[in-house]
Amino acid sequence: MTRLVVLISGGGSNLQTLLDGCHNGDIPAEVVAVISNKADAFGLKRAQQAGIATEVIDHRQFADREHFDAALAERIDHHQPDLIALAGFMRILTAGFVARYQGRMLNIHPSLLPKYPGLHTHQRAIDAGDTDAGATVHFVTAELDGGPPIAQASVPIKENDTASELAKRVLAQEHRLYPSVVRWFAEGRLTLVNNQAILDGTPLPKTGRLLDTANHEAT
Ligand code: NHR
Ligand code: GAR
């Protein structure tokens, strides 16, 4: 069974969908630890509720990113994971850390990458006058939000949309997207080869697989 470590910084609703998917058998994986850089992250409570080991590594206690990442790697390796999932994790990781987990670390990002890497994605999409927004799951590489995309889901941007309304609409799609991708990985169907994401032996397109959102009411 695939051993999964999830890194969070906040509410952990994406973590919850992974916990649920592993618990109900949809995802053939086991969440072996949840690690947060924030002691007050609500996601830690979700993990505890599910009986999963939690750890807090407060980045402010470290002199620089290298030292934080070294402590993080030490704790991750303790759990011997096959896969690491960033789920609302808010600290940029060093190239050395990323290299250590090459092909074994995923992130869910709240934009249709390559549009809007980094922060404040929803406001940026609204300000640009875009007609749709969405989320992308990608392999983590040293380039921030620049690793090979695996799957995307889109939602409409409505007239007079606010960043927080749009964020809710996107999050609902994230909750479908991330469990699907983690399942593919756990089933051994998803790999990273020469910086290219491969699903079922076939290279994925530049934006990853588009998850169908047509039959899902986007409110
Ligand atoms: N690290 C690497 N090397 N590559 C990626 O693709 C990464 C990563 C670390 C996190 C998630 C990402 C997102 O999905 C992620 C992808 C944090 C920031 C950021 O600016 C940007 C992107 C992401 C996560 N963080 C600030 C920092 O100084 C802190 C911001 C805060 O605490 O609010 O690290 O969006
Ligand atoms: C999600 O929308 C995720 O895509 C985004 O934060 C939210 C976390 O929600 N991630 C980032 O912005 C990473 N910088 P959650 O804690 O409820 O899963």
Side-chain angles (χ1 to χ4, degrees):
M1 188 106 95
T2 295
R3 297 173 62 81
L4 173 61
V5 166
V6 183
L7 305 189
I8 63 167
S9 300
S13 69
N14 277 292
L15 164 67
Q16 188 70 58
T17 66
L18 298 178
L19 290 169
D20 293 348
C22 291
H23 184 76
N24 69 26
D26 284 350
I27 305 172
E30 172 185 10
V31 179
V32 291
V34 172
I35 304 178
S36 174
N37 66 303
K38 300 254 193 188
D40 62 356
F42 183 69
L44 291 168
K45 293 209 170 64
R46 297 179 186 273
Q48 284 154 10
Q49 191 67 37
I52 310 292
T54 62
E55 310 206 18
V56 174
I57 306 174
D58 182 346
H59 60 279
R60 296 170 303 182
Q61 316 265 310
F62 297 87
D64 53 31
R65 290 187 195 268
E66 298 287 344
H67 286 86
F68 171 68
D69 282 8
L72 186 56
E74 196 268 328
R75 294 317 302 158
I76 289 171
D77 291 350
H78 173 80
H79 296 284
Q80 299 188 271
D82 304 295
L83 178 65
I84 297 149
L86 310 187
F89 182 69
M90 295 305 294
R91 298 303 301 172
I92 296 172
L93 299 161
T94 58
F97 180 94
V98 168
R100 182 185 189 89
Y101 304 108
Q102 177 97 285
R104 296 192 286 141
M105 184 156 55
L106 305 176
N107 178 45
I108 188 155
H109 179 77
S111 80
L112 296 172
L113 290 171
K115 276 192 166 181
Y116 315 124
L119 304 177
H120 313 299
T121 53
H122 304 304
Q123 192 61 54
R124 287 156 71 197
I126 290 169
D127 291 348
D130 292 359
T131 56
D132 31 43
T136 306
V137 178
H138 63 92
F139 279 109
V140 175
T141 66
E143 190 190 339
L144 187 67
D145 298 320
I150 299 158
Q152 288 191 329
S154 66
V155 302
I157 297 181
K158 300 184 176 180
E159 250 177 60
N160 304 315
D161 229 340
T162 62
S164 93
E165 283 302 313
L166 179 55
K168 281 189 228 166
R169 199 175 306 129
V170 170
L171 200 54
Q173 293 306 315
E174 293 183 41
H175 296 161
R176 302 175 54 228
L177 196 59
Y178 217 0
S180 299
V181 173
V182 171
R183 175 168 51 80
W184 296 341
F185 189 96
E187 289 171 342
R189 299 165 55 191
L190 176 65
T191 55
L192 182 68
V193 180
N194 297 327
N195 215 44
Q196 162 76 59
I198 312 271
L199 181 63
D200 296 330
T202 307
L204 285 160
K206 265 209 314 277
T207 52
R209 175 168 294 186
L210 188 61
L211 222 75
D212 171 44
T213 53
N215 298 318
H216 292 261
E217 193 52 47
T219 50

